[in-house]
Amino acid sequence: MKKSYSVNLKGRVKNFPLPKIRPLIPLFEAVVNSIDAISERRKSEETFSDGRIVITVVRSQQLTLSSKDLSPVESFIIEDNGIGFTERNLESFMESDSEYKAQIGGKGVGRFSWLKAFAKVYVSSVFKENNEFLKREFEFSLDNPFIDDTLAELNKNEVSDYSTNITLYKYLAEYQEQAPKQLDTIALKLMQHCLVYFLDENCPEIIIKDDNETININKLFRERIKAEENTAVFKINNEEFKLLHVKIEDKAFLGNRLYICANNRLVESKDLTKYIVDLGDQIFERCGFWYLGILTGNYLDDNVDMNRLSFNIPENESPLVNDIAMESIIKQACAIVKEYLKEYLERIKEQKIARITDYAIQVAPQYRHLLKHMRDDIERIKPDLPDDKLDDELYKIKRKFDKIVNSENAKLFERIKQGIISTEEYETEFKKQIEK
């Protein structure tokens, strides 16, 4: 039966913002839809608990430069045993910006990313309505301004369970070029994007495979990520935020990150070493983990853009804007991270100051006075810099110090000229400046 969309499909897809460097977003959207479908089935069927999602990676048949090279990813097939394409779900699918999943953070636009990056999508869904199994099939593409679906009743002997297959068919060239080829890379990126879902003990089993390899992403999560039981809660202007502390016990993760999430999905990832000076790569060597903070909150859920690639939140604090700035959120989160990692960070800081002190005394005495007079700037130097980089940083601080001293001297002489300083004050100030 032909069904029309509630929107100009070509125009909607054309205006859907999907950067070429984010080629896996359509896959992520399909997987989250599957997770939602499984959750919906659990609510309607109390005895159902075995949620399962299988992602099959289909590779291009084009020849590679070497037989050892992996062929590019061409398509994805996502199969789940969720509620399926019932009449109500199909109606929601046909409606742009549908509010059907609004209560769980659905924007009603994720499927448009499918046609932004793929030539077309095939849908095949077996589901139950009125206690009868039905099978619905249709093609979702820009070639048709409508959906012409087929609906068939199935004999109970023909089927034993719900099953929905979404085939994201043939990457468009500009997105295929950016898509990772390694199966473990795709698995890791999916795990990172849906990290909040994996933290839930009711997360469905999610498998990804190609012709040569199969990865259980839940197992990957359990092996590589250790979530702490405590979650820190903080408020800014009566808006509540939650920060979950996670330890990544996998060296390949590379880095200490703050994941800023909305509606259980990763939106922005921040490098914490840019905000916390003594937090660096050495934490894994010393402690056996990378730090990952997962930040969530209703304010983030309410202010994420429609494609969940960024936030509609001002970057910096301003007296002219009443909204909470991202700068304030990150600052508060980093304060909590520093407290959580306090023991480690203090040890690193002590070792850093000891090394800089030794360098300034033994190797470069021209910086020795900075240890006393520019202590705050010294503490802002990154740890474990090689000697040449350390010297560069100390030289910058010395130049800053010289400017400060020259400015103070000028102000002191001006006060003397104007006769607004006593002899006793002058002697005290003079001694300070001479010492510097």
Short mmCIF file of all heavy atoms in Angstrom, two decimals, residues 87-112:
data_model
loop_
_atom_site.label_atom_id
_atom_site.label_comp_id
_atom_site.label_asym_id
_atom_site.label_seq_id
_atom_site.Cartn_x
_atom_site.Cartn_y
_atom_site.Cartn_z
N GLU A 87 1.90 -0.80 12.80
CA GLU A 87 1.24 0.32 12.14
C GLU A 87 1.62 1.63 12.82
O GLU A 87 1.88 2.63 12.15
CB GLU A 87 -0.28 0.14 12.16
CG GLU A 87 -0.81 -0.86 11.12
CD GLU A 87 -0.50 -0.43 9.69
OE1 GLU A 87 -0.58 0.78 9.39
OE2 GLU A 87 -0.16 -1.31 8.87
N ARG A 88 1.65 1.62 14.14
CA ARG A 88 1.98 2.85 14.86
C ARG A 88 3.41 3.28 14.59
O ARG A 88 3.70 4.47 14.39
CB ARG A 88 1.78 2.63 16.38
CG ARG A 88 2.11 3.86 17.22
CD ARG A 88 1.11 4.98 16.94
NE ARG A 88 1.48 6.25 17.56
CZ ARG A 88 2.26 7.15 17.00
NH1 ARG A 88 2.78 6.94 15.79
NH2 ARG A 88 2.52 8.29 17.62
N ASN A 89 4.33 2.33 14.55
CA ASN A 89 5.73 2.68 14.28
C ASN A 89 5.93 3.12 12.84
O ASN A 89 6.76 3.99 12.56
CB ASN A 89 6.63 1.49 14.61
CG ASN A 89 6.88 1.34 16.10
OD1 ASN A 89 6.87 2.31 16.84
ND2 ASN A 89 7.06 0.11 16.55
N LEU A 90 5.18 2.54 11.91
CA LEU A 90 5.29 2.96 10.51
C LEU A 90 4.76 4.39 10.36
O LEU A 90 5.35 5.19 9.64
CB LEU A 90 4.52 2.01 9.60
CG LEU A 90 4.60 2.35 8.10
CD1 LEU A 90 6.04 2.26 7.61
CD2 LEU A 90 3.70 1.44 7.28
N GLU A 91 3.67 4.71 11.03
CA GLU A 91 3.13 6.08 10.98
C GLU A 91 4.18 7.08 11.47
O GLU A 91 4.35 8.15 10.89
CB GLU A 91 1.87 6.18 11.84
CG GLU A 91 0.66 5.48 11.24
CD GLU A 91 -0.53 5.49 12.20
OE1 GLU A 91 -0.45 6.22 13.22
OE2 GLU A 91 -1.51 4.79 11.94
N SER A 92 4.86 6.72 12.56
CA SER A 92 5.90 7.59 13.09
C SER A 92 7.04 7.73 12.10
O SER A 92 7.61 8.81 11.92
CB SER A 92 6.42 7.03 14.42
OG SER A 92 7.51 7.78 14.89
N PHE A 93 7.39 6.63 11.42
CA PHE A 93 8.48 6.63 10.44
C PHE A 93 8.15 7.57 9.28
O PHE A 93 9.03 8.24 8.74
CB PHE A 93 8.69 5.21 9.91
CG PHE A 93 9.88 5.05 9.02
CD1 PHE A 93 11.13 4.79 9.54
CD2 PHE A 93 9.75 5.16 7.63
CE1 PHE A 93 12.24 4.64 8.71
CE2 PHE A 93 10.84 5.00 6.80
CZ PHE A 93 12.10 4.75 7.34
N MET A 94 6.87 7.64 8.92
CA MET A 94 6.44 8.46 7.78
C MET A 94 6.36 9.95 8.13
O MET A 94 6.30 10.78 7.25
CB MET A 94 5.06 8.00 7.29
CG MET A 94 5.00 6.55 6.83
SD MET A 94 6.03 6.25 5.40
CE MET A 94 5.23 7.29 4.18
N GLU A 95 6.37 10.25 9.41
CA GLU A 95 6.17 11.63 9.85
C GLU A 95 7.49 12.27 10.23
O GLU A 95 8.21 11.78 11.10
CB GLU A 95 5.22 11.64 11.06
CG GLU A 95 4.93 13.03 11.61
CD GLU A 95 4.07 12.97 12.86
OE1 GLU A 95 3.63 11.87 13.25
OE2 GLU A 95 3.87 14.04 13.46
N SER A 96 7.82 13.38 9.58
CA SER A 96 9.05 14.09 9.93
C SER A 96 8.92 14.72 11.31
O SER A 96 7.85 15.19 11.70
CB SER A 96 9.33 15.20 8.91
OG SER A 96 10.45 15.95 9.29
N ASP A 97 10.03 14.67 12.06
CA ASP A 97 10.07 15.26 13.41
C ASP A 97 8.97 14.68 14.29
O ASP A 97 8.36 15.38 15.11
CB ASP A 97 9.94 16.78 13.34
CG ASP A 97 11.03 17.41 12.48
OD1 ASP A 97 12.14 17.61 13.01
OD2 ASP A 97 10.78 17.68 11.30
N SER A 98 8.75 13.40 14.14
CA SER A 98 7.74 12.72 14.94
C SER A 98 8.07 12.81 16.43
O SER A 98 9.23 12.73 16.83
CB SER A 98 7.66 11.24 14.53
OG SER A 98 6.92 10.50 15.47
N GLU A 99 7.04 12.98 17.26
CA GLU A 99 7.22 13.05 18.71
C GLU A 99 6.94 11.72 19.38
O GLU A 99 6.82 11.65 20.60
CB GLU A 99 6.31 14.14 19.29
CG GLU A 99 6.66 15.53 18.79
CD GLU A 99 5.84 16.61 19.45
OE1 GLU A 99 4.96 16.27 20.28
OE2 GLU A 99 6.05 17.80 19.15
N TYR A 100 6.85 10.66 18.58
CA TYR A 100 6.50 9.35 19.12
C TYR A 100 7.47 8.90 20.21
O TYR A 100 7.10 8.31 21.21
CB TYR A 100 6.45 8.33 17.98
CG TYR A 100 6.08 6.93 18.38
CD1 TYR A 100 4.97 6.68 19.20
CD2 TYR A 100 6.83 5.84 17.95
CE1 TYR A 100 4.61 5.39 19.55
CE2 TYR A 100 6.49 4.55 18.31
CZ TYR A 100 5.39 4.33 19.11
OH TYR A 100 5.04 3.06 19.48
N LYS A 101 8.77 9.20 20.01
CA LYS A 101 9.80 8.79 20.99
C LYS A 101 10.32 9.97 21.80
O LYS A 101 11.39 9.90 22.39
CB LYS A 101 10.97 8.11 20.29
CG LYS A 101 10.62 6.78 19.61
CD LYS A 101 11.87 6.16 19.03
CE LYS A 101 11.58 4.84 18.33
NZ LYS A 101 12.82 4.26 17.75
N ALA A 102 9.57 11.05 21.85
CA ALA A 102 10.04 12.26 22.53
C ALA A 102 10.37 12.00 23.99
O ALA A 102 11.34 12.56 24.53
CB ALA A 102 8.99 13.36 22.41
N GLN A 103 9.60 11.14 24.65
CA GLN A 103 9.82 10.90 26.07
C GLN A 103 11.13 10.18 26.36
O GLN A 103 11.63 10.20 27.48
CB GLN A 103 8.66 10.11 26.66
CG GLN A 103 8.48 8.73 26.05
CD GLN A 103 7.26 8.01 26.61
OE1 GLN A 103 6.52 8.57 27.40
NE2 GLN A 103 7.07 6.77 26.20
N ILE A 104 11.72 9.53 25.36
CA ILE A 104 13.02 8.88 25.54
C ILE A 104 14.11 9.60 24.75
O ILE A 104 15.17 9.05 24.47
CB ILE A 104 12.97 7.38 25.16
CG1 ILE A 104 12.49 7.19 23.71
CG2 ILE A 104 12.11 6.61 26.12
CD1 ILE A 104 12.57 5.76 23.22
N GLY A 105 13.81 10.85 24.34
CA GLY A 105 14.82 11.67 23.69
C GLY A 105 14.86 11.56 22.18
O GLY A 105 15.76 12.11 21.54
N GLY A 106 13.90 10.86 21.58
CA GLY A 106 13.88 10.74 20.13
C GLY A 106 13.56 12.05 19.46
O GLY A 106 12.66 12.78 19.89
N LYS A 107 14.30 12.38 18.40
CA LYS A 107 14.07 13.63 17.67
C LYS A 107 13.19 13.44 16.44
O LYS A 107 12.74 14.41 15.83
CB LYS A 107 15.42 14.23 17.23
CG LYS A 107 16.34 14.59 18.40
CD LYS A 107 15.85 15.81 19.12
CE LYS A 107 16.85 16.24 20.18
NZ LYS A 107 16.37 17.42 20.94
N GLY A 108 13.00 12.18 16.05
CA GLY A 108 12.15 11.93 14.89
C GLY A 108 12.79 12.26 13.56
O GLY A 108 12.09 12.43 12.55
N VAL A 109 14.13 12.36 13.52
CA VAL A 109 14.80 12.74 12.27
C VAL A 109 15.99 11.84 11.94
O VAL A 109 16.59 11.98 10.88
CB VAL A 109 15.29 14.21 12.32
CG1 VAL A 109 14.11 15.17 12.45
CG2 VAL A 109 16.27 14.42 13.47
N GLY A 110 16.35 10.93 12.83
CA GLY A 110 17.56 10.14 12.65
C GLY A 110 17.61 9.35 11.36
O GLY A 110 18.68 9.19 10.75
N ARG A 111 16.45 8.87 10.91
CA ARG A 111 16.43 8.05 9.69
C ARG A 111 16.82 8.84 8.45
O ARG A 111 17.24 8.26 7.44
CB ARG A 111 15.04 7.45 9.49
CG ARG A 111 13.94 8.49 9.30
CD ARG A 111 12.57 7.89 9.57
NE ARG A 111 11.49 8.86 9.48
CZ ARG A 111 11.21 9.75 10.43
NH1 ARG A 111 11.95 9.84 11.50
NH2 ARG A 111 10.19 10.58 10.29
N PHE A 112 16.72 10.18 8.50
CA PHE A 112 17.13 10.97 7.35
C PHE A 112 18.64 10.89 7.13
O PHE A 112 19.12 11.10 6.02
CB PHE A 112 16.69 12.43 7.51
CG PHE A 112 15.19 12.59 7.59
CD1 PHE A 112 14.60 13.24 8.65
CD2 PHE A 112 14.38 12.07 6.59
CE1 PHE A 112 13.22 13.38 8.73
CE2 PHE A 112 12.99 12.21 6.66
CZ PHE A 112 12.41 12.86 7.73
#
